[in-house]
Amino acid sequence: MNASANTGRAFADFETYQLGLYSAKYWNDFHLSFGLSSSLHDIYTSRNVKYIDLNDHDDASLTGISHQAFTELGYTFNSSIVDVTPFVGVSYARVDLMGFEERQTRSALIGESGHAHVMSTLLGLRVHENFKLSDESRISYHAMAAWQSNSQGRPSATLHFAGGEAFTISGVPVEKNALLLQGGVQYTVADHLSLGLSYEGRMDRKIRDHSMKMELKLRF
């Protein structure tokens, strides 16, 4: 997977290689699922520095490794109107970044290796149901609301200029509590054609994040 960001004076490119494992077990209306994944990140950064008599171009390459794990336990109450599933989950994520050193200019940065991690618990409720309209067409919907609690922390990095004192920069702190919302509806016209609309939202004390997606699936 590749991603990049460009602000005009600075550029970053991320190449990620991921390996994951997922499994689930069902006992009547109970279900238990878990997953593991590890990723290798190759990162390249480049920036132009112009200030008074400085006119430097600095770049660096660094490597990162991330690990994620989760497990979830739920129970489904079935009815003719809607299926309701209360669930509880636990997840853990960790990112390790190796040190880096930009080429030796007056504005070159040197970064120390470091890591960041967070553990989260999730307590929520899912509802879902399918309605058959004909032999081929049907409508299905789903919704989820959950309360997420995180181990609080603020990601940071220790840097210094060549020959200079070390200093620390900090990222956006992880909020301790957040409300997660999901919902969607899908209309299956036939086995090879469906239209879907979905919503995802995350709300905490400071940040509101909402997104909607519409998709058309055509199978050949």
Side-chain angles (χ1 to χ4, degrees), residues 98-123:
M98 311 305 162
F100 70 91
E101 184 174 347
E102 292 181 328
R103 69 170 72 188
Q104 289 302 313
T105 65
R106 287 182 295 172
S107 59
L109 276 172
I110 299 170
E112 300 179 7
S113 59
H115 73 273
H117 62 93
V118 61
M119 177 171 283
S120 303
T121 59
L122 202 63
L123 179 64

Side-chain angles (χ1 to χ4, degrees), residues 23-150:
S23 182
K25 180 69 175 178
Y26 294 86
W27 299 276
N28 297 321
D29 294 324
F30 280 100
H31 78 265
L32 176 67
S33 60
F34 71 88
L36 300 168
S37 71
S38 293
S39 301
L40 175 66
H41 312 280
D42 286 331
I43 306 168
Y44 170 77
T45 62
S46 172
R47 61 194 180 96
N48 295 313
V49 179
K50 293 184 180 181
Y51 180 73
I52 307 177
D53 63 336
L54 281 179
N55 189 9
D56 293 341
H57 176 77
D58 302 309
D59 59 2
S61 296
L62 63 151
T63 301
I65 299 174
S66 62
H67 304 284
Q68 298 182 68
F70 81 91
T71 184
E72 180 183 290
L73 176 66
Y75 183 87
T76 301
F77 297 91
N78 299 292
S79 73
S80 58
I81 301 175
V82 65
D83 294 341
V84 180
T85 305
F87 66 92
V88 60
V90 180
S91 64
Y92 176 79
R94 178 185 174 101
V95 178
D96 292 273
L97 287 177
M98 311 305 162
F100 70 91
E101 184 174 347
E102 292 181 328
R103 69 170 72 188
Q104 289 302 313
T105 65
R106 287 182 295 172
S107 59
L109 276 172
I110 299 170
E112 300 179 7
S113 59
H115 73 273
H117 62 93
V118 61
M119 177 171 283
S120 303
T121 59
L122 202 63
L123 179 64
L125 190 73
R126 292 190 184 97
V127 296
H128 51 91
E129 191 54 88
N130 295 294
F131 298 98
K132 190 173 182 179
L133 303 178
S134 66
D135 290 339
E136 289 190 336
S137 64
R138 63 185 181 275
I139 290 178
S140 60
Y141 70 87
H142 68 275
M144 186 273 289
W147 187 254
Q148 184 183 57
S149 296
N150 304 301

Side-chain angles (χ1 to χ4, degrees), residues 147-219:
W147 187 254
Q148 184 183 57
S149 296
N150 304 301
S151 58
Q152 281 189 303
R154 181 190 291 266
S156 62
T158 301
L159 310 169
H160 65 89
F161 293 102
E165 296 278 338
F167 59 93
T168 299
I169 60 172
S170 299
V172 178
V174 177
E175 284 293 330
K176 185 170 180 60
N177 298 303
L179 175 65
L180 306 183
L181 299 173
Q182 293 180 1
V185 60
Q186 179 171 294
Y187 173 46
T188 302
V189 183
D191 290 338
H192 64 282
L193 179 63
S194 64
L195 178 66
L197 179 66
S198 61
Y199 161 82
E200 288 192 12
R202 185 184 190 278
M203 290 161 279
D204 59 37
R205 187 167 54 94
K206 296 180 179 179
I207 299 175
R208 305 288 188 270
D209 186 12
H210 305 277
S211 65
M212 294 195 71
K213 180 174 68 174
M214 178 179 289
E215 59 181 6
L216 176 66
K217 293 182 180 180
L218 181 61
R219 301 177 182 86

